[in-house]
Amino acid sequence: MKRPEPVVVVADARGEPLSFTRGGRNQRLADVLERWRLEDGWWGKEEQRCYYRVQTSRGSVFDIY
């Protein structure tokens, strides 16, 4: 499993991702394939994240949050 890396996400008014920048390169999204929410208490620190499995306009698939 790959380690998470920072990305900058551009979202619409509803919070749905439209594109993201990874390693200085913009990735335009063609589709959101799946959505899920993670709510976890890890070492006493509660975290909530919205995850998206997305497909770029070039066909690559990424999980972003």
Side-chain angles (χ1 to χ4, degrees):
M1 177 181 264
K2 289 187 175 185
R3 296 178 57 92
E5 60 184 270
V7 298
V8 176
V9 177
V10 174
D12 66 15
R14 299 177 319 213
E16 292 290 304
L18 299 172
S19 67
F20 67 93
T21 301
R22 173 181 173 241
R25 186 168 169 198
N26 188 42
Q27 303 282 338
R28 195 178 59 195
L29 302 183
D31 199 8
V32 175
L33 304 172
E34 190 175 350
R35 299 167 182 80
W36 68 97
R37 179 179 210 92
L38 172 70
E39 296 183 28
D40 193 14
W42 182 253
W43 299 98
K45 179 183 173 188
E46 188 171 323
E47 290 196 34
Q48 296 180 355
R49 290 186 187 145
C50 292
Y51 283 79
Y52 298 87
R53 178 159 292 144
V54 297
Q55 185 173 26
T56 68
S57 59
R58 293 183 157 206
S60 298
V61 175
F62 294 90
D63 291 338
I64 61 173
Y65 65 88

